[in-house]
Short mmCIF file of all heavy atoms in Angstrom, two decimals:
data_model
loop_
_atom_site.label_atom_id
_atom_site.label_comp_id
_atom_site.label_asym_id
_atom_site.label_seq_id
_atom_site.Cartn_x
_atom_site.Cartn_y
_atom_site.Cartn_z
N LEU A 324 30.54 -2.59 63.66
CA LEU A 324 31.80 -1.85 63.52
C LEU A 324 32.96 -2.73 63.97
O LEU A 324 32.80 -3.52 64.92
CB LEU A 324 31.77 -0.57 64.36
CG LEU A 324 30.78 0.52 63.95
CD1 LEU A 324 30.88 1.69 64.93
CD2 LEU A 324 31.00 0.98 62.53
N PRO A 325 34.08 -2.59 63.29
CA PRO A 325 34.34 -1.78 62.10
C PRO A 325 33.52 -2.27 60.90
O PRO A 325 33.18 -3.44 60.79
CB PRO A 325 35.83 -1.97 61.84
CG PRO A 325 36.40 -2.45 63.14
CD PRO A 325 35.31 -3.26 63.76
N CYS A 326 33.28 -1.34 60.00
CA CYS A 326 32.60 -1.62 58.74
C CYS A 326 33.49 -1.09 57.62
O CYS A 326 33.83 0.09 57.61
CB CYS A 326 31.23 -0.94 58.71
SG CYS A 326 30.35 -1.11 57.15
N VAL A 327 33.86 -1.96 56.71
CA VAL A 327 34.74 -1.57 55.61
C VAL A 327 33.90 -1.30 54.37
O VAL A 327 33.10 -2.14 53.96
CB VAL A 327 35.80 -2.64 55.32
CG1 VAL A 327 36.66 -2.23 54.14
CG2 VAL A 327 36.67 -2.87 56.56
N VAL A 328 34.08 -0.12 53.79
CA VAL A 328 33.27 0.34 52.66
C VAL A 328 34.16 0.50 51.43
O VAL A 328 35.27 1.03 51.52
CB VAL A 328 32.59 1.68 52.99
CG1 VAL A 328 31.75 2.16 51.82
CG2 VAL A 328 31.75 1.55 54.25
N ARG A 329 33.65 0.01 50.31
CA ARG A 329 34.34 0.21 49.03
C ARG A 329 33.32 0.58 47.98
O ARG A 329 32.26 -0.05 47.89
CB ARG A 329 35.09 -1.06 48.61
CG ARG A 329 35.96 -0.85 47.37
CD ARG A 329 36.70 -2.12 47.00
NE ARG A 329 37.63 -1.88 45.90
CZ ARG A 329 38.34 -2.84 45.33
NH1 ARG A 329 38.24 -4.09 45.74
NH2 ARG A 329 39.16 -2.54 44.34
N ASP A 330 33.60 1.62 47.21
CA ASP A 330 32.67 2.13 46.19
C ASP A 330 31.29 2.43 46.78
O ASP A 330 30.26 2.20 46.16
CB ASP A 330 32.53 1.12 45.04
CG ASP A 330 33.83 0.90 44.30
OD1 ASP A 330 34.63 1.85 44.21
OD2 ASP A 330 34.06 -0.23 43.81
N GLY A 331 31.28 2.91 48.03
CA GLY A 331 30.04 3.30 48.67
C GLY A 331 29.22 2.17 49.24
O GLY A 331 28.12 2.40 49.74
N VAL A 332 29.74 0.94 49.18
CA VAL A 332 28.99 -0.23 49.63
C VAL A 332 29.78 -0.97 50.70
O VAL A 332 31.01 -1.15 50.58
CB VAL A 332 28.71 -1.18 48.44
CG1 VAL A 332 27.94 -2.41 48.90
CG2 VAL A 332 27.94 -0.44 47.35
N ALA A 333 29.09 -1.44 51.77
CA ALA A 333 29.76 -2.19 52.83
C ALA A 333 30.25 -3.53 52.29
O ALA A 333 29.50 -4.27 51.65
CB ALA A 333 28.79 -2.41 53.99
N GLN A 334 31.53 -3.85 52.56
CA GLN A 334 32.11 -5.13 52.14
C GLN A 334 32.17 -6.14 53.28
O GLN A 334 31.77 -7.28 53.13
CB GLN A 334 33.52 -4.91 51.59
CG GLN A 334 33.56 -4.47 50.14
CD GLN A 334 34.75 -5.08 49.42
OE1 GLN A 334 35.82 -5.27 49.99
NE2 GLN A 334 34.55 -5.40 48.15
N ILE A 335 32.70 -5.72 54.40
CA ILE A 335 32.76 -6.59 55.57
C ILE A 335 32.36 -5.80 56.81
O ILE A 335 32.52 -4.58 56.87
CB ILE A 335 34.17 -7.19 55.77
CG1 ILE A 335 35.20 -6.07 55.92
CG2 ILE A 335 34.54 -8.13 54.63
CD1 ILE A 335 36.56 -6.57 56.36
N GLN A 336 31.84 -6.51 57.81
CA GLN A 336 31.45 -5.90 59.07
C GLN A 336 31.79 -6.86 60.21
O GLN A 336 31.81 -8.08 60.02
CB GLN A 336 29.94 -5.61 59.11
CG GLN A 336 29.46 -4.62 58.08
CD GLN A 336 27.94 -4.49 58.07
OE1 GLN A 336 27.24 -5.21 58.77
NE2 GLN A 336 27.44 -3.56 57.27
N PHE A 337 32.04 -6.27 61.39
CA PHE A 337 32.25 -7.08 62.58
C PHE A 337 30.95 -7.14 63.37
O PHE A 337 30.36 -6.11 63.68
CB PHE A 337 33.36 -6.48 63.45
CG PHE A 337 33.73 -7.34 64.62
CD1 PHE A 337 34.50 -8.48 64.45
CD2 PHE A 337 33.30 -7.02 65.89
CE1 PHE A 337 34.85 -9.28 65.52
CE2 PHE A 337 33.63 -7.82 66.98
CZ PHE A 337 34.41 -8.95 66.80
N HIS A 338 30.52 -8.35 63.70
CA HIS A 338 29.23 -8.52 64.38
C HIS A 338 29.37 -9.10 65.78
O HIS A 338 28.44 -9.70 66.31
CB HIS A 338 28.30 -9.40 63.54
CG HIS A 338 27.55 -8.62 62.50
ND1 HIS A 338 26.29 -8.12 62.69
CD2 HIS A 338 27.92 -8.23 61.26
CE1 HIS A 338 25.89 -7.47 61.61
NE2 HIS A 338 26.86 -7.52 60.72
N GLY A 339 30.52 -8.93 66.40
CA GLY A 339 30.69 -9.38 67.78
C GLY A 339 31.00 -10.86 67.88
O GLY A 339 30.80 -11.63 66.94
N GLY A 340 31.51 -11.26 69.04
CA GLY A 340 31.84 -12.66 69.24
C GLY A 340 32.91 -13.15 68.29
O GLY A 340 32.90 -14.32 67.88
N ALA A 341 33.85 -12.29 67.94
CA ALA A 341 34.93 -12.61 66.99
C ALA A 341 34.37 -13.04 65.64
O ALA A 341 34.99 -13.84 64.93
CB ALA A 341 35.83 -13.70 67.57
N ARG A 342 33.20 -12.52 65.28
CA ARG A 342 32.53 -12.96 64.05
C ARG A 342 32.55 -11.84 63.01
O ARG A 342 31.90 -10.80 63.16
CB ARG A 342 31.08 -13.35 64.36
CG ARG A 342 30.32 -13.93 63.17
CD ARG A 342 29.05 -14.59 63.64
NE ARG A 342 28.12 -13.61 64.19
CZ ARG A 342 27.13 -13.04 63.50
NH1 ARG A 342 26.96 -13.37 62.23
NH2 ARG A 342 26.31 -12.19 64.06
N TRP A 343 33.29 -12.07 61.93
CA TRP A 343 33.29 -11.16 60.80
C TRP A 343 32.30 -11.65 59.75
O TRP A 343 32.16 -12.85 59.53
CB TRP A 343 34.69 -11.07 60.18
CG TRP A 343 35.65 -10.29 61.02
CD1 TRP A 343 36.51 -10.78 61.95
CD2 TRP A 343 35.84 -8.88 61.01
NE1 TRP A 343 37.23 -9.77 62.54
CE2 TRP A 343 36.84 -8.59 61.97
CE3 TRP A 343 35.26 -7.83 60.30
CZ2 TRP A 343 37.28 -7.29 62.22
CZ3 TRP A 343 35.69 -6.55 60.54
CH2 TRP A 343 36.69 -6.28 61.49
N VAL A 344 31.64 -10.73 59.10
CA VAL A 344 30.61 -11.06 58.12
C VAL A 344 30.95 -10.38 56.80
O VAL A 344 31.27 -9.19 56.77
CB VAL A 344 29.21 -10.62 58.59
CG1 VAL A 344 28.17 -10.89 57.52
CG2 VAL A 344 28.84 -11.34 59.88
N VAL A 345 30.87 -11.15 55.72
CA VAL A 345 31.04 -10.60 54.37
C VAL A 345 29.68 -10.16 53.86
O VAL A 345 28.71 -10.94 53.87
CB VAL A 345 31.65 -11.65 53.41
CG1 VAL A 345 31.81 -11.04 52.02
CG2 VAL A 345 32.98 -12.13 53.93
N MET A 346 29.57 -8.92 53.43
CA MET A 346 28.30 -8.41 52.93
C MET A 346 28.12 -8.80 51.47
O MET A 346 29.07 -9.22 50.80
CB MET A 346 28.26 -6.88 53.08
CG MET A 346 28.57 -6.40 54.49
SD MET A 346 27.56 -7.20 55.76
CE MET A 346 25.93 -6.56 55.32
N ALA A 347 26.91 -8.64 50.98
CA ALA A 347 26.61 -8.96 49.58
C ALA A 347 27.53 -8.15 48.67
O ALA A 347 27.62 -6.93 48.80
CB ALA A 347 25.15 -8.65 49.27
N GLY A 348 28.19 -8.83 47.76
CA GLY A 348 29.12 -8.16 46.86
C GLY A 348 30.54 -8.11 47.39
O GLY A 348 31.46 -7.71 46.67
N GLY A 349 30.74 -8.50 48.68
CA GLY A 349 32.08 -8.50 49.24
C GLY A 349 32.87 -9.72 48.78
O GLY A 349 32.33 -10.66 48.21
N ASP A 350 34.15 -9.70 49.06
CA ASP A 350 35.03 -10.78 48.64
C ASP A 350 35.77 -11.31 49.86
O ASP A 350 36.69 -10.68 50.37
CB ASP A 350 36.01 -10.26 47.58
CG ASP A 350 36.97 -11.34 47.09
OD1 ASP A 350 36.75 -12.53 47.41
OD2 ASP A 350 37.94 -10.98 46.39
N MET A 351 35.37 -12.51 50.32
CA MET A 351 36.02 -13.09 51.49
C MET A 351 37.50 -13.36 51.22
O MET A 351 38.33 -13.22 52.11
CB MET A 351 35.32 -14.40 51.89
CG MET A 351 35.90 -15.05 53.14
SD MET A 351 35.14 -16.65 53.55
CE MET A 351 33.48 -16.14 53.94
N GLY A 352 37.82 -13.72 49.98
CA GLY A 352 39.21 -14.03 49.65
C GLY A 352 40.15 -12.86 49.86
O GLY A 352 41.31 -13.04 50.22
N SER A 353 39.65 -11.64 49.64
CA SER A 353 40.49 -10.46 49.82
C SER A 353 40.82 -10.22 51.29
O SER A 353 41.80 -9.55 51.60
CB SER A 353 39.79 -9.23 49.24
OG SER A 353 39.60 -9.37 47.85
N TRP A 354 40.01 -10.76 52.19
CA TRP A 354 40.18 -10.55 53.62
C TRP A 354 40.36 -11.90 54.32
O TRP A 354 39.85 -12.13 55.41
CB TRP A 354 38.98 -9.81 54.20
CG TRP A 354 38.76 -8.48 53.56
CD1 TRP A 354 38.05 -8.22 52.43
CD2 TRP A 354 39.28 -7.23 54.00
NE1 TRP A 354 38.10 -6.87 52.14
CE2 TRP A 354 38.84 -6.24 53.09
CE3 TRP A 354 40.08 -6.84 55.08
CZ2 TRP A 354 39.18 -4.90 53.23
CZ3 TRP A 354 40.41 -5.51 55.23
CH2 TRP A 354 39.97 -4.56 54.30
N SER A 355 41.08 -12.81 53.69
CA SER A 355 41.17 -14.20 54.15
C SER A 355 41.67 -14.31 55.59
O SER A 355 41.25 -15.21 56.34
CB SER A 355 42.07 -15.00 53.21
OG SER A 355 43.36 -14.40 53.11
N LYS A 356 42.55 -13.42 56.05
CA LYS A 356 43.06 -13.50 57.41
C LYS A 356 41.95 -13.35 58.45
O LYS A 356 42.03 -13.94 59.53
CB LYS A 356 44.11 -12.40 57.64
CG LYS A 356 45.48 -12.71 57.06
CD LYS A 356 46.49 -11.67 57.52
CE LYS A 356 47.88 -11.98 57.01
NZ LYS A 356 48.86 -10.98 57.48
N LEU A 357 40.93 -12.57 58.12
CA LEU A 357 39.84 -12.36 59.09
C LEU A 357 39.02 -13.63 59.28
O LEU A 357 38.35 -13.78 60.30
CB LEU A 357 38.92 -11.22 58.60
CG LEU A 357 39.53 -9.82 58.57
CD1 LEU A 357 38.51 -8.83 58.02
CD2 LEU A 357 39.99 -9.39 59.95
N PHE A 358 39.06 -14.53 58.31
CA PHE A 358 38.21 -15.71 58.36
C PHE A 358 39.00 -17.01 58.52
O PHE A 358 38.46 -18.10 58.40
CB PHE A 358 37.37 -15.77 57.08
CG PHE A 358 36.54 -14.55 56.85
CD1 PHE A 358 37.00 -13.52 56.04
CD2 PHE A 358 35.30 -14.40 57.46
CE1 PHE A 358 36.24 -12.38 55.82
CE2 PHE A 358 34.55 -13.26 57.26
CZ PHE A 358 35.01 -12.25 56.45
N ALA A 359 40.30 -16.86 58.84
CA ALA A 359 41.16 -18.04 58.93
C ALA A 359 40.74 -18.98 60.05
O ALA A 359 40.90 -20.21 59.94
CB ALA A 359 42.62 -17.62 59.13
#
Side-chain angles (χ1 to χ4, degrees):
L324 294 179
C326 175
V327 177
V328 180
R329 187 179 186 185
D330 297 328
V332 179
Q334 277 216 326
I335 58 170
Q336 297 174 354
F337 186 76
H338 275 265
R342 184 166 66 95
W343 286 94
V344 176
V345 180
M346 308 307 294
D350 180 11
M351 182 184 294
S353 297
W354 301 87
S355 56
K356 282 188 178 181
L357 293 178
F358 303 95

